[in-house]
Amino acid sequence: MSDQKITNQNNTTCQNSTAGQNKIYQIIAKILRYNCFGKLSSDELHYISCIKACDFVLLFKGLKEKIAKNYDKAFKLYYDSESFNNPFATHELAVCYEKGRGVKKDIDMAIRLYKKAIRYEVYFSMTNLANYYLLNNDVEKAILLYQRAIYHDDVNAMYNLAMYYKKSKDIKENKDMQSIIIELIKKATTGDLPIATYELGSYYELGFYNIKQDINQAIKLYQHAVNLGDPSAMNALALWYETGQYV
């Protein structure tokens, strides 16, 4: 695919502005995080309906097909959107190639597309590529990309980096590392990442690291994680209901 930028003549003034681009970025981030349009506010849904730029129209159609698991249609829409040099479509194409959705699996192409999207500061691509590097034991590259995504407040990068640090051999003695883990998990929790909310709840339940044991706070976090759809939190909360204590 060509990296040449093709000007989209249909962009509106609002969508070309920094504020407009940031608004679209936030909306796409929410769709990708929850894998649905249902979490969008009425204002955000209205904003999408007013978008006239071809690349974003194609992108949002592609995201809807992806959510419906119509991967062949989603791939074609992303491909067309990417022809306008839309960085979010570039990211979604990378995901398609990485997972073999709507196209034959091709890790080399996925990496190439992730790197292209990263040039436009698409932090979803930073985190996905970091995950790939970590799985392939290229830890230094992975950590650098996680840190770069965290700069953009990517909650998945926060959680993944915290879990990597948690596996450190000297974690029980390394108080500084424990503090970093807690900071990352707490920040990911403020972004309503379900698995991070459950993780923080378990720290309060067990008194992990520098956190004082607080069962009430643990249950509160478990309940919030349940509301966000986390299955581990459902199990943890069910066990407390069985005891009849604190709930």
Side-chain angles (χ1 to χ4, degrees):
M1 297 179 190
S2 173
D3 288 356
Q4 181 182 3
K5 186 173 182 179
I6 302 175
T7 303
N8 186 348
Q9 300 295 333
N10 291 324
N11 278 340
T12 65
T13 301
C14 176
Q15 288 149 20
N16 273 328
S17 69
T18 300
Q21 292 292 345
N22 287 341
K23 176 79 170 181
I24 293 173
Y25 202 118
Q26 291 167 5
I27 290 171
I28 293 171
K30 187 180 287 189
I31 294 169
L32 294 180
R33 182 181 302 174
Y34 296 108
N35 196 38
C36 70
F37 283 70
K39 295 288 186 177
L40 298 182
S41 67
S42 57
D43 175 65
E44 289 168 331
L45 289 169
H46 176 70
Y47 193 89
I48 291 175
S49 70
C50 293
I51 291 175
K52 304 301 181 184
C54 292
D55 56 331
F56 282 106
V57 171
L58 291 165
L59 173 67
F60 284 118
K61 286 182 178 179
L63 290 172
K64 288 179 180 179
E65 295 296 346
K66 170 190 171 182
I67 292 167
K69 297 184 178 181
N70 297 323
Y71 298 127
D72 290 344
K73 291 182 179 179
F75 178 82
K76 177 64 168 59
L77 288 161
Y78 295 148
Y79 188 92
D80 290 344
S81 177
E82 212 272 342
S83 72
F84 291 99
N85 209 33
N86 185 297
F88 304 107
T90 304
H91 167 80
E92 286 301 312
L93 278 179
V95 174
C96 290
Y97 278 106
E98 181 183 10
K99 299 181 180 297
R101 292 177 173 175
V103 67
K104 185 178 179 181
K105 189 173 183 178
D106 186 337
I107 297 299
D108 289 338
M109 177 61 79
I111 292 172
R112 176 185 166 191
L113 289 166
Y114 280 139
K115 287 181 176 179
K116 180 181 176 183
I118 287 169
R119 293 205 297 272
Y120 295 92
E121 296 299 310
V122 178
Y123 62 76
F124 325 121
S125 289
M126 298 174 194
T127 299
N128 283 13
L129 188 54
N131 293 340
Y132 172 79
Y133 284 141
L134 195 60
L135 285 172
N136 288 275
N137 299 313
D138 199 337
V139 175
E140 185 176 353
K141 285 184 180 179
I143 290 176
L144 287 172
L145 280 170
Y146 282 141
Q147 291 173 336
R148 190 170 167 186
I150 288 168
Y151 175 80
H152 292 284
D153 293 326
D154 184 21
V155 292
N156 288 298
M158 296 171 196
Y159 176 80
N160 292 349
L161 185 56
M163 292 302 97
Y164 170 73
Y165 288 147
K166 187 179 177 182
K167 294 176 182 177
S168 301
K169 292 180 180 179
D170 64 340
I171 188 60
K172 291 183 179 180
E173 295 78 29
N174 194 330
K175 300 298 183 182
D176 290 337
M177 187 66 74
Q178 291 176 14
S179 296
I180 292 172
I181 291 170
I182 292 168
E183 181 183 357
L184 287 168
I185 292 297
K186 283 185 174 180
K187 195 169 182 182
T189 298
T190 61
D192 279 345
L193 185 66
I195 194 170
T197 307
Y198 162 75
E199 183 77 12
L200 185 59
S202 71
Y203 293 176
Y204 277 102
E205 180 179 3
L206 302 172
F208 267 6
Y209 305 147
N210 298 321
I211 289 183
K212 183 179 179 180
Q213 187 179 41
D214 186 337
I215 303 300
N216 287 319
Q217 180 65 13
I219 290 174
K220 181 180 178 180
L221 285 162
Y222 286 151
Q223 184 61 66
H224 185 49
V226 167
N227 294 340
L228 294 171
D230 186 78
S232 297
M234 296 175 190
N235 293 332
L237 195 60
L239 290 173
W240 279 107
Y241 272 106
E242 285 183 5
T243 67
Q245 297 178 300
Y246 297 97
V247 290

